[in-house]
Amino acid sequence: MADQNKSQSANISRRSFLKNIGTGAAAAAFTPTVLLGAEKTGENQMQNQPNVIFILTDDQGPWAAGCCGNDEVRTPFIDQLASEGTRLPNFFCTTPVCSPARASLMTGRIPSAHGVHDFCRDGSMPPNAERYLEGLTCYSDVLAKNNYTVGLSGKWHLGDSLTPQHGFSHWFALPLGGSKYNNANMIRDGKVEMQPGYLTDVITDNALNFISANKEGPFYLSVNYNAPHTPFNGHPQDIVDSYDDCPFKTCPQEALHPWAGRGTAQHMGNRASLKGYFAAITAMDLNVGRILERLAELGIRENTLVVFSSDNGYSCGHHGFWHKGNGTFPLNMYENSVKVPFIMSHPGRIPEGRTSEAMVSQYDFMPTLLDYLGLPDPNDDLSPGRSFVPALNRKTNDAQDRVVVFDEYGPVRMIRTQEWKYVHRYPYGPHELYDLVKDPDERKNLIYEKSQRALISDMRQQMGAWFERYVIPRLDGSRFAVTGGGQAAKIGDGVYGEDAFKIRNQNRLQDRRNR
């Protein structure tokens, strides 16, 4: 009954939100409670160690929120979170697809050091359950060893979804990598159960119960939404209809990219897909508001670090394709694929309403979180990550933090500076070079410009040396047949090379390329 009441509350809030569209009052459904709850109502929270809530969305482009400069998609509560914290617009995923990106967030390693190079196509459920992070240390392990109650509500997609792993004692997990949005299956107490209702609301209901049960803290909670991942149907119809008149100027349906995957065809120029994608984000945003409201009601907002991000970026017609790094073949490293939204908010601790231009990556998250919490870092020599806490608390100039970042997606690798991006595809190309100052939309490939030969050589050498430093040779993605069709098995125990990425037939590869 409690969960039912929460769902009803979400529907009431949704109606209030829709009623106030265009009036400037859309965030009013929760804002007064959130602000008032942050007053001196937190005396019950006696723990010095802050709680942590990490809200991780699925396939949300770096452009797909109001605080990111988009005046079409409605995200008042994500925007509120940004106004109450610091936003990093130059936050990069390690791989522009879900499972390897999530593995890097958890471990601080790149795919060529943790072995997850594509979305986990198999291994989530018996009889072929496979723990892709077995033997690695995750930040959740460190938190659990330091008196944190560690919970998961939502997507896991790193193998053996039935079994809590890496310090998690609360486990309400999505069985697979994707799901329908209504009456979906979830794992509770080791059993798969159909959960009535809208999946985003269901995940939030569980998260709210966890927060209330552990309000004395300290706790860590991953709220891993499936939204706005496909399918683009099944979302609250009132929210979908509210986008009827949206011009979608922020999602130009460009001429078809020559490398576009088959998954692009059904969405390109399709207003229903655009409305569904935007509606999934707005419905999820309302649930972010519910989480902030609960923290305020319990008087623990001031002692809770809230992090908001996505696993990888996304394109909705930009550059002539839909989806992420595997929206094209060869796989791509466009900005919309490799950048993700990122916000950290902790009242009184992290500057509010600030944007930091520091260039950071998902492999920096684990050392940053542990540094912020004052917890021991495992000091993994194979992790290239460094704490960006100084960029959050203004102890360093942002210009000093504009370092080089790297990405990989199997045989495709990227080196990105503030001014330049070089993409190298093993073994034979095609390669790309973009001047991001003059050409921020990556329209002109300068790879064949004679005047850039020295720069290309330098960036290629720098990239090669960096990956050589952090790669485990047997896990080296540049040697694997990663096509964007999914990873079939954990690398090791006799499974290497093409066997780990073996696709049963070409049609299956095409059908799954854009998952």
Side-chain angles (χ1 to χ4, degrees):
M1 181 62 69
D3 284 356
Q4 181 180 356
N5 290 338
K6 292 184 182 66
S7 295
Q8 290 174 349
S9 174
N11 291 333
I12 292 170
S13 300
R14 182 179 301 143
R15 289 197 295 271
S16 175
F17 171 83
L18 291 166
K19 181 179 179 181
N20 289 294
I21 286 174
T23 69
F30 292 130
T31 300
T33 305
V34 171
L35 294 178
L36 292 175
E39 293 178 358
K40 300 300 182 179
T41 57
E43 280 77 10
N44 291 333
Q45 179 55 275
M46 300 302 293
Q47 298 289 343
N48 292 324
Q49 204 64 5
N51 307 309
V52 181
I53 297 177
F54 188 1
I55 302 171
L56 186 67
T57 67
D58 196 346
D59 286 3
Q60 186 173 0
W63 49 270
C67 58
C68 300
N70 189 324
D71 61 359
E72 294 184 317
V73 64
R74 293 185 294 278
T75 56
F77 301 109
I78 297 172
D79 301 347
Q80 175 184 318
L81 196 61
S83 72
E84 296 173 348
T86 295
R87 186 173 69 89
L88 284 79
N90 291 316
F91 194 95
F92 293 80
C93 61
T94 53
T95 297
V97 76
C98 54
S99 295
R102 292 164 185 265
S104 291
L105 280 168
M106 295 296 297
T107 66
R109 291 189 178 191
I110 64 173
S112 285
H114 59 58
V116 184
H117 287 283
D118 210 344
F119 68 85
C120 297
R121 183 163 59 84
D122 296 315
S124 292
M125 297 291 290
N128 300 312
E130 184 79 72
R131 298 187 184 184
Y132 282 86
L133 300 185
E134 188 77 17
L136 299 175
T137 299
C138 299
Y139 66 75
S140 53
D141 292 309
V142 178
L143 293 175
K145 291 179 180 178
N146 285 274
N147 201 36
Y148 272 80
T149 301
V150 181
L152 167 71
S153 297
K155 179 171 176 173
W156 174 244
H157 207 195
L158 290 168
D160 192 7
S161 298
L162 277 178
T163 309
Q165 302 160 49
H166 294 288
F168 286 93
S169 56
H170 175 84
W171 191 262
F172 184 67
L174 201 65
L176 303 174
S179 173
K180 61 181 182 178
Y181 277 89
N182 293 281
N183 303 325
N185 287 331
M186 294 293 293
I187 295 168
R188 190 198 302 268
D189 299 326
K191 297 179 180 179
V192 178
E193 300 175 347
M194 189 276 286
Q195 302 293 323
Y198 181 59
L199 179 58
T200 306
D201 293 343
V202 168
I203 290 172
T204 306
D205 291 344
N206 183 267
L208 296 179
N209 288 339
F210 175 90
I211 293 168
S212 295
N214 294 279
K215 62 183 179 181
E216 300 303 323
F219 68 79
Y220 168 88
L221 176 63
S222 285
V223 185
N224 291 356
Y225 290 119
N226 187 52
H229 192 288
T230 54
F232 299 138
N233 54 40
H235 303 291
Q237 194 60 46
D238 50 359
I239 298 181
V240 175
D241 292 344
S242 73
Y243 282 106
D244 280 348
D245 298 326
C246 181
F248 295 112
K249 293 180 180 179
T250 53
C251 296
Q253 303 301 287
E254 300 185 26
L256 191 67
H257 195 291
W259 301 348
R262 288 175 58 186
T264 288
Q266 62 182 307
H267 303 302
M268 185 65 76
N270 186 340
R271 283 187 59 85
S273 295
L274 288 165
K275 288 167 61 178
Y277 185 80
F278 277 43
I281 293 173
T282 294
M284 176 269 295
D285 178 83
L286 285 167
N287 281 277
V288 172
R290 294 176 66 203
I291 292 171
L292 295 177
E293 180 186 41
R294 180 58 55 86
L295 294 174
E297 289 174 346
L298 296 173
I300 60 175
R301 178 64 180 101
E302 288 186 336
N303 199 46
T304 302
L305 167 67
V306 179
V307 183
F308 179 90
S309 191
S310 188
D311 53 1
N312 49 256
Y314 205 78
S315 289
C316 290
H318 312 84
H319 276 284
F321 70 93
W322 278 63
H323 305 306
K324 46 216 169 194
N326 58 3
T328 64
F329 191 80
L331 308 171
N332 74 83
M333 290 283 178
Y334 288 118
E335 294 285 273
N336 278 351
S337 296
V338 298
K339 277 189 173 183
V340 293
F342 189 87
I343 301 166
M344 291 183 73
S345 173
H346 190 178
R349 290 280 301 275
I350 294 176
E352 297 187 8
R354 180 170 179 258
T355 297
S356 170
E357 298 296 333
M359 288 179 58
V360 292
S361 171
Q362 287 175 337
Y363 51 67
D364 295 311
F365 181 72
M366 178 173 176
T368 299
L369 179 63
L370 297 180
D371 181 22
Y372 187 86
L373 298 176
L375 297 179
D377 191 316
N379 296 318
D380 185 354
D381 290 339
L382 284 170
S383 172
R386 66 186 185 107
S387 171
F388 55 83
V389 166
L392 293 173
N393 60 23
R394 291 196 178 108
K395 288 187 178 179
T396 62
N397 187 305
D398 281 340
Q400 297 173 336
D401 291 295
R402 290 169 181 167
V403 297
V404 179
V405 295
F406 300 86
D407 265 61
E408 62 173 327
Y409 195 171
V412 184
R413 286 180 173 165
M414 178 199 83
I415 175 173
R416 166 72 153 80
T417 69
Q418 182 187 357
E419 298 87 6
W420 295 92
K421 174 188 288 187
Y422 173 65
V423 179
H424 189 91
R425 294 181 175 88
Y426 292 90
Y428 305 120
H431 311 311
E432 296 168 274
L433 177 72
Y434 295 104
D435 181 342
L436 298 175
V437 175
K438 298 179 180 178
D439 180 26
D441 292 331
E442 303 168 279
R443 302 296 180 178
K444 186 177 181 181
N445 183 6
L446 303 176
I447 197 67
Y448 298 115
E449 297 286 334
K450 293 182 179 179
S451 60
Q452 305 300 340
R453 286 180 179 175
L455 174 64
I456 293 169
S457 177
D458 179 68
M459 295 188 78
R460 182 179 299 175
Q461 291 178 17
Q462 187 177 355
M463 181 178 69
W466 189 89
F467 276 98
E468 184 178 359
R469 169 69 180 81
Y470 296 109
V471 160
I472 296 176
R474 67 182 180 84
L475 304 179
D476 189 342
S478 68
R479 304 177 183 180
F480 294 154
V482 181
T483 62
Q487 185 162 338
K490 180 181 178 181
I491 301 171
D493 299 325
V495 180
Y496 296 98
E498 292 187 6
D499 288 342
F501 304 92
K502 182 169 54 180
I503 306 298
R504 292 179 176 84
N505 57 64
Q506 187 64 24
N507 288 334
R508 184 169 186 178
L509 166 62
Q510 294 292 344
D511 290 340
R512 290 182 175 270
R513 180 166 289 157
N514 297 299
R515 179 174 171 179

